[in-house]
Amino acid sequence: MISVKTALDIISEFPDTYLFEEVSLNEALNLVLCEDVFSPLNMPPFRQSAMDGYAFRYSDKDTYSIVGESKAGDSNNYVLKEGEAVRIFTGALVPDNADTVIMQEHVERVGETIHIQKMPSQCANIRKTGEQIKTMDIALKKDTKLNEAAIGFLACLGITTVTVYKIPKVGILVTGSELQKPGSELEQGKIYESNSIMLEAALRKTGVKDIEIIRVKDDYDATKTSIEKVLNTKDLLLVSGGISVGDYDFVKEALLENEVEELFYKINQKPGKPLWFGRKENTYVFALPGNPASALTCFYIYALPLLRKMSGYKNNQLKRVIANSKTTIKNPSGKTLFLKANLEGTTVEVLQGQSSAMLYTYALSNALICVDSETAEVKINDEVECIKLEL
Ligand code: AMP
Ligand code: MG
């Protein structure tokens, strides 16, 4: 049995190679660039007016005659003589030999003549070519997570696809002969299967789109065949249940038979002691304990950071904060505890009902208190570490 820290250290060594893919920009939200993106053009690509007004050659005259019009999208490039101006609008091409734009509020127009009432400084109100970015400059750096602004920015450079860290494809293998899919009347001796939909929801929140759920009974052959299928098609496998030491727990054996290398098994923690982690080539496997609260805790603490790292994200652990405990916590077990809790400001309260079979408490909690294996007791008002359940 290893410590929580050792388990996290082992996981943090992976992935050792990343998978990339090219996606169109409209599918790139929240994905992470795996290479620098260079600008294919100057932005703006030409000198643009920043105002509705008049473009002219700066001089000490205060009267100019209007010789043409340049509206957004026009390609006309007027050649102005001294004393001439062009009616111009925001975003329109500024004639090459005009150097200044005056906003329309600062002139008096009489017919085809303008009288300047408030002279701007020379070069005012013109967006210079390449003022935002120049051709072949880095537009966005490797490891940038693309938000909506970044996507808009790349689009304004004419970019339509980007190469990003591939979001893992995930298989969820649910084991258990007692499990029944919700939707029909519950049979004697069975319970409704809840881990798959719960893990699927958590995965979706993390940005995973490709999720396949497979359900098997506690049957060695079916487990083995299903694992083989997922290993061939997915980047991450989450197995639920069947990883303890019961006579009908076949998952570990089936994983090893599929040549998945064991990286650790069993952590000194509560809940979630029988967590198993392994890999086969570029596919990683977490065999999560079947008890729903254990499965979810193991997902948050161990699977999520790896998943996020594979996706190119930088801050992969759930956020931890320190708060004062409103409750006394006893920890005679010498294990690290993850307790479902309610965090409010700087105080945190352990909730009733910590059994790993219960999801009810989890549904009401917004944090896990992490009590270190060395800490035998937390007194009221002591500082404790809290893991915020915000994905
Ligand atoms: P196991 O880890 O397979 O020994 O399962 C531990 C406990 O969790 C048992 O009481 C199972 O019935 C329950 N359990 C396992 N898998 C699920 C699941 N997918 N949904 C709900 N409960 C489950
Ligand atoms: Mg089971």
Side-chain angles (χ1 to χ4, degrees):
M1 194 147 60
I2 59 171
S3 68
V4 168
K5 182 178 180 309
T6 305
L8 288 173
D9 285 348
I10 292 171
I11 294 169
S12 73
E13 287 167 26
F14 303 100
D16 45 11
T17 46
Y18 287 89
L19 303 174
F20 308 125
E21 64 181 343
E22 193 177 343
V23 297
S24 72
L25 205 51
N26 54 4
E27 286 172 355
L29 184 65
N30 291 333
L31 304 186
V32 179
L33 294 175
C34 67
E35 58 187 19
D36 293 343
V37 174
F38 295 90
S39 179
L41 44 76
N42 287 313
M43 192 61 207
F46 54 88
R47 292 195 314 148
Q48 287 175 339
S49 176
M51 291 285 170
D52 294 326
Y54 298 87
F56 63 102
R57 286 168 64 173
Y58 193 86
S59 72
D60 50 15
K61 289 189 173 27
D62 57 8
T63 300
Y64 294 81
S65 49
I66 300 163
V67 296
E69 182 180 273
S70 180
K71 56 185 189 302
D74 285 354
S75 56
N76 262 357
N77 194 346
Y78 291 94
V79 180
L80 298 181
K81 298 198 194 77
E82 211 181 276
E84 292 181 344
V86 160
R87 176 68 169 130
I88 200 160
F89 300 94
T90 305
L93 185 146
V94 176
D96 278 349
N97 71 340
D99 60 3
T100 306
V101 168
I102 183 166
M103 58 199 287
Q104 63 191 36
E105 291 84 344
H106 291 171
V107 304
E108 188 196 355
R109 179 166 175 168
V110 181
E112 292 308 294
T113 303
I114 51 168
H115 302 285
I116 293 190
Q117 298 189 315
K118 188 173 175 222
M119 192 58 145
S121 58
Q122 193 169 8
C123 302
N125 301 321
I126 294 177
R127 301 177 191 145
K128 293 192 203 70
T129 304
E131 146 182 306
Q132 186 174 185
I133 190 162
K134 297 197 172 48
T135 307
M136 285 324 285
D137 278 357
I138 292 183
L140 291 175
K141 286 203 169 113
K142 175 180 191 286
D143 294 337
T144 302
K145 186 173 172 187
L146 297 170
N147 60 15
E148 50 278 24
I151 285 176
F153 176 51
L154 294 178
C156 90
L157 303 176
I159 290 169
T160 55
T161 62
V162 280
T163 310
V164 292
Y165 293 86
K166 186 180 161 199
I167 298 284
K169 297 179 178 180
V170 183
I172 302 174
L173 174 61
V174 178
T175 72
S177 302
E178 76 283 26
L179 303 174
Q180 191 179 321
K181 204 176 157 193
S184 57
E185 203 183 320
L186 197 60
E187 294 164 27
Q188 174 85 349
K190 309 260 187 224
I191 58 166
Y192 285 125
E193 194 278 298
S194 55
N195 287 352
S196 64
I197 197 166
M198 173 177 73
L199 293 170
E200 184 185 10
L203 289 165
R204 291 215 186 281
K205 233 178 175 179
T206 323
V208 178
K209 293 198 180 99
D210 187 321
I211 302 168
E212 185 183 2
I213 297 168
I214 302 175
R215 296 179 180 80
V216 292
K217 299 210 180 312
D218 292 311
D219 174 280
Y220 175 72
D221 289 329
T223 305
K224 197 180 106 186
T225 316
S226 304
I227 288 172
E228 185 184 3
K229 185 181 168 213
V230 175
L231 290 172
N232 287 331
T233 50
K234 306 291 174 191
D235 310 303
L236 180 67
L237 164 60
L238 302 177
V239 186
S240 153
I243 192 65
S244 304
V245 291
D247 290 352
Y248 297 93
D249 290 332
F250 299 120
V251 169
K252 184 177 168 204
E253 206 184 329
L255 286 164
L256 296 176
E257 187 62 30
N258 271 296
E259 290 168 3
V260 184
E261 179 196 353
E262 178 178 309
L263 296 164
F264 66 69
Y265 179 43
K266 291 190 179 161
I267 304 176
N268 186 35
Q269 64 178 10
K270 198 174 158 194
K273 178 179 131 191
L275 177 69
W276 192 97
F277 175 56
R279 80 181 295 198
K280 184 173 183 182
E281 288 148 22
N282 286 328
T283 301
Y284 297 87
V285 181
F286 287 95
L288 310 169
N291 266 317
S294 309
L296 189 57
T297 299
C298 288
F299 176 83
Y300 284 142
I301 308 292
Y302 302 103
L304 182 69
L306 178 71
L307 180 69
R308 300 225 276 214
K309 197 171 164 202
M310 291 168 86
S311 309
Y313 296 173
K314 285 288 161 265
N315 300 314
N316 299 314
Q317 305 269 359
L318 288 178
K319 211 166 163 196
R320 294 181 183 228
V321 294
I322 301 292
N324 298 100
S325 179
K326 283 188 177 174
T327 14
T328 305
I329 306 167
K330 303 243 187 245
N331 184 23
S333 66
K335 294 174 194 270
T336 298
L337 305 181
F338 295 106
L339 301 168
K340 286 145 291 247
N342 188 22
L343 175 69
E344 258 180 38
T346 56
T347 59
V348 64
E349 181 180 18
V350 177
L351 299 179
Q352 291 296 315
Q354 292 292 329
S355 156
S356 51
M358 290 185 193
L359 277 181
Y360 177 56
T361 317
Y362 233 134
L364 303 177
S365 50
N366 63 3
L368 292 174
I369 295 177
C370 176
V371 181
D372 192 68
S373 57
E374 320 271 271
T375 306
E377 187 179 348
V378 174
K379 298 197 181 70
I380 291 181
N381 261 332
D382 280 0
E383 288 189 334
V384 283
E385 187 176 44
C386 304
I387 301 164
K388 287 179 146 190
L389 301 177
E390 285 167 7
L391 269 72

mmCIF file of all heavy atoms in Angstrom, residues 56-96:
data_model
loop_
_atom_site.group_PDB
_atom_site.id
_atom_site.type_symbol
_atom_site.label_atom_id
_atom_site.label_comp_id
_atom_site.label_asym_id
_atom_site.label_seq_id
_atom_site.Cartn_x
_atom_site.Cartn_y
_atom_site.Cartn_z
ATOM 1 N N PHE A 56 -7.187 63.292 -44.312
ATOM 2 C CA PHE A 56 -6.558 64.399 -45.057
ATOM 3 C C PHE A 56 -5.058 64.385 -44.815
ATOM 4 O O PHE A 56 -4.554 63.641 -43.971
ATOM 5 C CB PHE A 56 -7.187 65.737 -44.637
ATOM 6 C CG PHE A 56 -6.983 66.090 -43.179
ATOM 7 C CD1 PHE A 56 -6.017 67.024 -42.798
ATOM 8 C CD2 PHE A 56 -7.748 65.492 -42.190
ATOM 9 C CE1 PHE A 56 -5.823 67.344 -41.458
ATOM 10 C CE2 PHE A 56 -7.558 65.807 -40.849
ATOM 11 C CZ PHE A 56 -6.604 66.734 -40.487
ATOM 12 N N ARG A 57 -4.380 65.226 -45.629
ATOM 13 C CA ARG A 57 -2.939 65.415 -45.405
ATOM 14 C C ARG A 57 -2.785 66.541 -44.405
ATOM 15 O O ARG A 57 -3.211 67.675 -44.659
ATOM 16 C CB ARG A 57 -2.262 65.784 -46.720
ATOM 17 C CG ARG A 57 -2.138 64.600 -47.645
ATOM 18 C CD ARG A 57 -1.734 65.027 -49.018
ATOM 19 N NE ARG A 57 -0.394 65.626 -49.028
ATOM 20 C CZ ARG A 57 0.253 65.957 -50.147
ATOM 21 N NH1 ARG A 57 -0.313 65.726 -51.321
ATOM 22 N NH2 ARG A 57 1.455 66.489 -50.087
ATOM 23 N N TYR A 58 -2.146 66.234 -43.285
ATOM 24 C CA TYR A 58 -2.039 67.199 -42.190
ATOM 25 C C TYR A 58 -1.340 68.470 -42.669
ATOM 26 O O TYR A 58 -0.317 68.401 -43.363
ATOM 27 C CB TYR A 58 -1.239 66.567 -41.053
ATOM 28 C CG TYR A 58 -1.315 67.319 -39.754
ATOM 29 C CD1 TYR A 58 -2.354 67.093 -38.866
ATOM 30 C CD2 TYR A 58 -0.347 68.263 -39.416
ATOM 31 C CE1 TYR A 58 -2.428 67.770 -37.667
ATOM 32 C CE2 TYR A 58 -0.413 68.954 -38.222
ATOM 33 C CZ TYR A 58 -1.450 68.699 -37.353
ATOM 34 O OH TYR A 58 -1.529 69.374 -36.166
ATOM 35 N N SER A 59 -1.897 69.639 -42.337
ATOM 36 C CA SER A 59 -1.249 70.919 -42.676
ATOM 37 C C SER A 59 -1.777 71.981 -41.721
ATOM 38 O O SER A 59 -2.560 71.667 -40.825
ATOM 39 C CB SER A 59 -1.597 71.306 -44.122
ATOM 40 O OG SER A 59 -2.949 71.701 -44.183
ATOM 41 N N ASP A 60 -1.384 73.241 -41.935
ATOM 42 C CA ASP A 60 -1.921 74.267 -41.028
ATOM 43 C C ASP A 60 -3.194 74.899 -41.576
ATOM 44 O O ASP A 60 -3.747 75.804 -40.985
ATOM 45 C CB ASP A 60 -0.852 75.311 -40.667
ATOM 46 C CG ASP A 60 -0.160 75.855 -41.905
ATOM 47 O OD1 ASP A 60 -0.711 75.641 -43.020
ATOM 48 O OD2 ASP A 60 0.913 76.461 -41.752
ATOM 49 N N LYS A 61 -3.676 74.375 -42.723
ATOM 50 C CA LYS A 61 -4.970 74.868 -43.249
ATOM 51 C C LYS A 61 -6.115 74.412 -42.337
ATOM 52 O O LYS A 61 -5.992 73.396 -41.673
ATOM 53 C CB LYS A 61 -5.232 74.255 -44.630
ATOM 54 C CG LYS A 61 -4.359 74.768 -45.759
ATOM 55 C CD LYS A 61 -4.952 74.194 -47.057
ATOM 56 C CE LYS A 61 -4.366 74.698 -48.330
ATOM 57 N NZ LYS A 61 -3.035 75.170 -48.431
ATOM 58 N N ASP A 62 -7.217 75.177 -42.359
ATOM 59 C CA ASP A 62 -8.365 74.667 -41.605
ATOM 60 C C ASP A 62 -9.593 74.454 -42.491
ATOM 61 O O ASP A 62 -10.680 74.205 -42.013
ATOM 62 C CB ASP A 62 -8.676 75.542 -40.379
ATOM 63 C CG ASP A 62 -8.936 76.971 -40.774
ATOM 64 O OD1 ASP A 62 -9.032 77.233 -41.995
ATOM 65 O OD2 ASP A 62 -9.052 77.810 -39.859
ATOM 66 N N THR A 63 -9.386 74.502 -43.790
ATOM 67 C CA THR A 63 -10.483 74.220 -44.727
ATOM 68 C C THR A 63 -9.995 73.212 -45.771
ATOM 69 O O THR A 63 -8.897 73.367 -46.309
ATOM 70 C CB THR A 63 -10.940 75.515 -45.428
ATOM 71 O OG1 THR A 63 -11.395 76.420 -44.421
ATOM 72 C CG2 THR A 63 -12.088 75.238 -46.400
ATOM 73 N N TYR A 64 -10.816 72.177 -45.995
ATOM 74 C CA TYR A 64 -10.427 71.120 -46.946
ATOM 75 C C TYR A 64 -11.619 70.815 -47.830
ATOM 76 O O TYR A 64 -12.771 70.840 -47.369
ATOM 77 C CB TYR A 64 -10.008 69.844 -46.204
ATOM 78 C CG TYR A 64 -8.738 70.025 -45.386
ATOM 79 C CD1 TYR A 64 -8.773 70.622 -44.132
ATOM 80 C CD2 TYR A 64 -7.506 69.600 -45.891
ATOM 81 C CE1 TYR A 64 -7.624 70.805 -43.391
ATOM 82 C CE2 TYR A 64 -6.339 69.785 -45.155
ATOM 83 C CZ TYR A 64 -6.398 70.380 -43.908
ATOM 84 O OH TYR A 64 -5.258 70.565 -43.182
ATOM 85 N N SER A 65 -11.335 70.486 -49.080
ATOM 86 C CA SER A 65 -12.451 70.109 -49.960
ATOM 87 C C SER A 65 -12.516 68.590 -50.083
ATOM 88 O O SER A 65 -11.487 67.904 -50.161
ATOM 89 C CB SER A 65 -12.314 70.759 -51.338
ATOM 90 O OG SER A 65 -11.022 70.545 -51.826
ATOM 91 N N ILE A 66 -13.729 68.097 -50.092
ATOM 92 C CA ILE A 66 -13.949 66.641 -50.083
ATOM 93 C C ILE A 66 -13.915 66.138 -51.520
ATOM 94 O O ILE A 66 -14.687 66.600 -52.366
ATOM 95 C CB ILE A 66 -15.310 66.313 -49.431
ATOM 96 C CG1 ILE A 66 -15.303 66.849 -47.993
ATOM 97 C CG2 ILE A 66 -15.578 64.807 -49.433
ATOM 98 C CD1 ILE A 66 -16.683 66.957 -47.388
ATOM 99 N N VAL A 67 -13.010 65.165 -51.776
ATOM 100 C CA VAL A 67 -12.850 64.695 -53.159
ATOM 101 C C VAL A 67 -13.290 63.250 -53.343
ATOM 102 O O VAL A 67 -13.208 62.709 -54.437
ATOM 103 C CB VAL A 67 -11.376 64.846 -53.640
ATOM 104 C CG1 VAL A 67 -10.982 66.320 -53.676
ATOM 105 C CG2 VAL A 67 -10.433 64.052 -52.739
ATOM 106 N N GLY A 68 -13.763 62.639 -52.288
ATOM 107 C CA GLY A 68 -14.191 61.245 -52.461
ATOM 108 C C GLY A 68 -14.658 60.660 -51.136
ATOM 109 O O GLY A 68 -14.721 61.361 -50.116
ATOM 110 N N GLU A 69 -14.982 59.391 -51.193
ATOM 111 C CA GLU A 69 -15.509 58.718 -49.997
ATOM 112 C C GLU A 69 -14.886 57.331 -49.882
ATOM 113 O O GLU A 69 -14.742 56.626 -50.877
ATOM 114 C CB GLU A 69 -17.027 58.587 -50.135
ATOM 115 C CG GLU A 69 -17.666 57.936 -48.925
ATOM 116 C CD GLU A 69 -19.181 57.811 -49.066
ATOM 117 O OE1 GLU A 69 -19.889 58.768 -48.702
ATOM 118 O OE2 GLU A 69 -19.639 56.748 -49.527
ATOM 119 N N SER A 70 -14.520 56.947 -48.667
ATOM 120 C CA SER A 70 -13.973 55.606 -48.424
ATOM 121 C C SER A 70 -14.757 54.982 -47.287
ATOM 122 O O SER A 70 -14.669 55.420 -46.139
ATOM 123 C CB SER A 70 -12.482 55.719 -48.060
ATOM 124 O OG SER A 70 -11.940 54.434 -47.829
ATOM 125 N N LYS A 71 -15.604 54.000 -47.642
ATOM 126 C CA LYS A 71 -16.348 53.339 -46.566
ATOM 127 C C LYS A 71 -15.774 51.941 -46.330
ATOM 128 O O LYS A 71 -14.998 51.442 -47.170
ATOM 129 C CB LYS A 71 -17.845 53.298 -46.883
ATOM 130 C CG LYS A 71 -18.233 52.641 -48.182
ATOM 131 C CD LYS A 71 -19.732 52.800 -48.367
ATOM 132 C CE LYS A 71 -20.251 51.979 -49.535
ATOM 133 N NZ LYS A 71 -19.616 52.310 -50.828
ATOM 134 N N ALA A 72 -16.146 51.333 -45.192
ATOM 135 C CA ALA A 72 -15.573 50.029 -44.837
ATOM 136 C C ALA A 72 -15.768 49.050 -45.972
ATOM 137 O O ALA A 72 -16.875 48.923 -46.503
ATOM 138 C CB ALA A 72 -16.224 49.509 -43.556
ATOM 139 N N GLY A 73 -14.700 48.403 -46.373
ATOM 140 C CA GLY A 73 -14.787 47.401 -47.438
ATOM 141 C C GLY A 73 -14.372 47.923 -48.803
ATOM 142 O O GLY A 73 -14.068 47.134 -49.698
ATOM 143 N N ASP A 74 -14.347 49.278 -48.964
ATOM 144 C CA ASP A 74 -13.933 49.848 -50.262
ATOM 145 C C ASP A 74 -12.446 49.605 -50.499
ATOM 146 O O ASP A 74 -11.655 49.575 -49.555
ATOM 147 C CB ASP A 74 -14.184 51.367 -50.285
ATOM 148 C CG ASP A 74 -15.662 51.685 -50.443
ATOM 149 O OD1 ASP A 74 -16.443 50.732 -50.653
ATOM 150 O OD2 ASP A 74 -16.028 52.880 -50.347
ATOM 151 N N SER A 75 -12.089 49.473 -51.792
ATOM 152 C CA SER A 75 -10.665 49.249 -52.081
ATOM 153 C C SER A 75 -10.006 50.460 -52.742
ATOM 154 O O SER A 75 -8.818 50.454 -53.021
ATOM 155 C CB SER A 75 -10.505 48.009 -52.965
ATOM 156 O OG SER A 75 -11.284 48.176 -54.131
ATOM 157 N N ASN A 76 -10.786 51.510 -52.981
ATOM 158 C CA ASN A 76 -10.241 52.747 -53.588
ATOM 159 C C ASN A 76 -9.131 53.354 -52.757
ATOM 160 O O ASN A 76 -9.283 53.534 -51.556
ATOM 161 C CB ASN A 76 -11.359 53.802 -53.658
ATOM 162 C CG ASN A 76 -11.961 53.815 -55.035
ATOM 163 O OD1 ASN A 76 -11.498 53.087 -55.912
ATOM 164 N ND2 ASN A 76 -12.994 54.631 -55.228
ATOM 165 N N ASN A 77 -8.031 53.691 -53.402
ATOM 166 C CA ASN A 77 -6.943 54.358 -52.692
ATOM 167 C C ASN A 77 -6.748 55.734 -53.343
ATOM 168 O O ASN A 77 -6.069 55.869 -54.348
ATOM 169 C CB ASN A 77 -5.678 53.494 -52.811
ATOM 170 C CG ASN A 77 -4.612 53.943 -51.813
ATOM 171 O OD1 ASN A 77 -4.720 55.024 -51.233
ATOM 172 N ND2 ASN A 77 -3.605 53.118 -51.630
ATOM 173 N N TYR A 78 -7.393 56.747 -52.764
ATOM 174 C CA TYR A 78 -7.337 58.098 -53.359
ATOM 175 C C TYR A 78 -5.941 58.688 -53.212
ATOM 176 O O TYR A 78 -5.253 58.442 -52.223
ATOM 177 C CB TYR A 78 -8.329 59.026 -52.651
ATOM 178 C CG TYR A 78 -9.770 58.678 -52.929
ATOM 179 C CD1 TYR A 78 -10.475 57.844 -52.074
ATOM 180 C CD2 TYR A 78 -10.408 59.175 -54.070
ATOM 181 C CE1 TYR A 78 -11.782 57.506 -52.326
ATOM 182 C CE2 TYR A 78 -11.735 58.843 -54.320
ATOM 183 C CZ TYR A 78 -12.412 58.015 -53.454
ATOM 184 O OH TYR A 78 -13.707 57.692 -53.705
ATOM 185 N N VAL A 79 -5.553 59.501 -54.205
ATOM 186 C CA VAL A 79 -4.313 60.286 -54.075
ATOM 187 C C VAL A 79 -4.747 61.730 -53.792
ATOM 188 O O VAL A 79 -5.392 62.366 -54.617
ATOM 189 C CB VAL A 79 -3.468 60.214 -55.366
ATOM 190 C CG1 VAL A 79 -2.197 61.041 -55.209
ATOM 191 C CG2 VAL A 79 -3.136 58.756 -55.678
ATOM 192 N N LEU A 80 -4.406 62.174 -52.580
ATOM 193 C CA LEU A 80 -4.884 63.497 -52.150
ATOM 194 C C LEU A 80 -3.834 64.566 -52.414
ATOM 195 O O LEU A 80 -2.638 64.337 -52.215
ATOM 196 C CB LEU A 80 -5.189 63.485 -50.653
ATOM 197 C CG LEU A 80 -6.286 62.542 -50.169
ATOM 198 C CD1 LEU A 80 -6.462 62.678 -48.663
ATOM 199 C CD2 LEU A 80 -7.595 62.859 -50.882
ATOM 200 N N LYS A 81 -4.327 65.705 -52.816
ATOM 201 C CA LYS A 81 -3.438 66.882 -52.875
ATOM 202 C C LYS A 81 -3.623 67.639 -51.562
ATOM 203 O O LYS A 81 -4.567 67.403 -50.813
ATOM 204 C CB LYS A 81 -3.857 67.777 -54.043
ATOM 205 C CG LYS A 81 -3.741 67.099 -55.402
ATOM 206 C CD LYS A 81 -3.752 68.186 -56.491
ATOM 207 C CE LYS A 81 -3.989 67.567 -57.852
ATOM 208 N NZ LYS A 81 -5.412 67.188 -58.088
ATOM 209 N N GLU A 82 -2.699 68.568 -51.325
ATOM 210 C CA GLU A 82 -2.835 69.366 -50.113
ATOM 211 C C GLU A 82 -4.166 70.111 -50.154
ATOM 212 O O GLU A 82 -4.586 70.566 -51.226
ATOM 213 C CB GLU A 82 -1.676 70.360 -50.003
ATOM 214 C CG GLU A 82 -1.334 70.626 -48.540
ATOM 215 C CD GLU A 82 -0.198 71.626 -48.419
ATOM 216 O OE1 GLU A 82 0.951 71.174 -48.517
ATOM 217 O OE2 GLU A 82 -0.495 72.807 -48.232
ATOM 218 N N GLY A 83 -4.837 70.170 -49.036
ATOM 219 C CA GLY A 83 -6.112 70.880 -48.987
ATOM 220 C C GLY A 83 -7.288 69.997 -49.370
ATOM 221 O O GLY A 83 -8.427 70.444 -49.393
ATOM 222 N N GLU A 84 -7.023 68.722 -49.650
ATOM 223 C CA GLU A 84 -8.115 67.804 -49.994
ATOM 224 C C GLU A 84 -8.345 66.805 -48.859
ATOM 225 O O GLU A 84 -7.419 66.474 -48.119
ATOM 226 C CB GLU A 84 -7.795 67.039 -51.279
ATOM 227 C CG GLU A 84 -7.789 67.941 -52.503
ATOM 228 C CD GLU A 84 -7.490 67.168 -53.785
ATOM 229 O OE1 GLU A 84 -6.990 66.026 -53.701
ATOM 230 O OE2 GLU A 84 -7.750 67.724 -54.854
ATOM 231 N N ALA A 85 -9.578 66.335 -48.804
ATOM 232 C CA ALA A 85 -9.932 65.337 -47.775
ATOM 233 C C ALA A 85 -10.855 64.304 -48.398
ATOM 234 O O ALA A 85 -11.466 64.544 -49.441
ATOM 235 C CB ALA A 85 -10.625 66.012 -46.591
ATOM 236 N N VAL A 86 -10.922 63.173 -47.723
ATOM 237 C CA VAL A 86 -11.826 62.107 -48.151
ATOM 238 C C VAL A 86 -12.774 61.812 -46.997
ATOM 239 O O VAL A 86 -12.337 61.705 -45.853
ATOM 240 C CB VAL A 86 -11.003 60.848 -48.542
ATOM 241 C CG1 VAL A 86 -11.874 59.606 -48.523
ATOM 242 C CG2 VAL A 86 -10.372 61.015 -49.909
ATOM 243 N N ARG A 87 -14.057 61.738 -47.318
ATOM 244 C CA ARG A 87 -15.027 61.305 -46.303
ATOM 245 C C ARG A 87 -14.687 59.853 -45.967
ATOM 246 O O ARG A 87 -14.510 59.024 -46.877
ATOM 247 C CB ARG A 87 -16.432 61.402 -46.908
ATOM 248 C CG ARG A 87 -17.555 60.908 -46.019
ATOM 249 C CD ARG A 87 -17.734 61.797 -44.835
ATOM 250 N NE ARG A 87 -18.957 61.512 -44.099
ATOM 251 C CZ ARG A 87 -18.989 61.322 -42.792
ATOM 252 N NH1 ARG A 87 -17.879 61.346 -42.072
ATOM 253 N NH2 ARG A 87 -20.135 61.120 -42.177
ATOM 254 N N ILE A 88 -14.580 59.524 -44.695
ATOM 255 C CA ILE A 88 -14.146 58.165 -44.340
ATOM 256 C C ILE A 88 -14.935 57.633 -43.160
ATOM 257 O O ILE A 88 -15.462 58.415 -42.358
ATOM 258 C CB ILE A 88 -12.614 58.145 -44.068
ATOM 259 C CG1 ILE A 88 -12.060 56.718 -44.192
ATOM 260 C CG2 ILE A 88 -12.265 58.737 -42.701
ATOM 261 C CD1 ILE A 88 -10.563 56.672 -44.409
ATOM 262 N N PHE A 89 -15.016 56.290 -43.078
ATOM 263 C CA PHE A 89 -15.785 55.654 -41.997
ATOM 264 C C PHE A 89 -14.911 54.633 -41.273
ATOM 265 O O PHE A 89 -13.894 54.173 -41.811
ATOM 266 C CB PHE A 89 -17.046 54.996 -42.575
ATOM 267 C CG PHE A 89 -17.941 55.985 -43.258
ATOM 268 C CD1 PHE A 89 -17.842 56.200 -44.631
ATOM 269 C CD2 PHE A 89 -18.829 56.745 -42.527
ATOM 270 C CE1 PHE A 89 -18.648 57.143 -45.253
ATOM 271 C CE2 PHE A 89 -19.641 57.692 -43.152
ATOM 272 C CZ PHE A 89 -19.547 57.886 -44.519
ATOM 273 N N THR A 90 -15.330 54.280 -40.074
ATOM 274 C CA THR A 90 -14.544 53.356 -39.241
ATOM 275 C C THR A 90 -14.242 52.061 -39.977
ATOM 276 O O THR A 90 -15.140 51.450 -40.548
ATOM 277 C CB THR A 90 -15.320 53.046 -37.943
ATOM 278 O OG1 THR A 90 -15.640 54.273 -37.314
ATOM 279 C CG2 THR A 90 -14.490 52.184 -36.996
ATOM 280 N N GLY A 91 -12.979 51.677 -39.971
ATOM 281 C CA GLY A 91 -12.578 50.406 -40.593
ATOM 282 C C GLY A 91 -12.215 50.541 -42.058
ATOM 283 O O GLY A 91 -11.742 49.582 -42.670
ATOM 284 N N ALA A 92 -12.442 51.746 -42.631
ATOM 285 C CA ALA A 92 -12.176 51.916 -44.068
ATOM 286 C C ALA A 92 -10.697 52.175 -44.316
ATOM 287 O O ALA A 92 -9.967 52.656 -43.441
ATOM 288 C CB ALA A 92 -12.999 53.076 -44.611
ATOM 289 N N LEU A 93 -10.281 51.860 -45.548
ATOM 290 C CA LEU A 93 -8.897 52.061 -45.970
ATOM 291 C C LEU A 93 -8.590 53.563 -46.015
ATOM 292 O O LEU A 93 -9.331 54.341 -46.614
ATOM 293 C CB LEU A 93 -8.738 51.424 -47.344
ATOM 294 C CG LEU A 93 -7.375 51.382 -48.002
ATOM 295 C CD1 LEU A 93 -7.277 50.079 -48.806
ATOM 296 C CD2 LEU A 93 -7.159 52.564 -48.917
ATOM 297 N N VAL A 94 -7.494 53.938 -45.349
ATOM 298 C CA VAL A 94 -7.065 55.336 -45.365
ATOM 299 C C VAL A 94 -6.174 55.529 -46.599
ATOM 300 O O VAL A 94 -5.237 54.749 -46.801
ATOM 301 C CB VAL A 94 -6.274 55.684 -44.082
ATOM 302 C CG1 VAL A 94 -5.746 57.108 -44.134
ATOM 303 C CG2 VAL A 94 -7.141 55.473 -42.845
ATOM 304 N N PRO A 95 -6.454 56.524 -47.428
ATOM 305 C CA PRO A 95 -5.604 56.738 -48.614
ATOM 306 C C PRO A 95 -4.126 56.818 -48.214
ATOM 307 O O PRO A 95 -3.790 57.402 -47.175
ATOM 308 C CB PRO A 95 -6.092 58.083 -49.152
ATOM 309 C CG PRO A 95 -7.501 58.187 -48.683
ATOM 310 C CD PRO A 95 -7.556 57.491 -47.352
ATOM 311 N N ASP A 96 -3.250 56.269 -49.082
ATOM 312 C CA ASP A 96 -1.830 56.165 -48.740
ATOM 313 C C ASP A 96 -1.210 57.495 -48.341
ATOM 314 O O ASP A 96 -0.379 57.542 -47.443
ATOM 315 C CB ASP A 96 -1.039 55.606 -49.942
ATOM 316 C CG ASP A 96 -1.136 54.097 -49.983
ATOM 317 O OD1 ASP A 96 -1.619 53.511 -48.980
ATOM 318 O OD2 ASP A 96 -0.751 53.514 -51.016
#
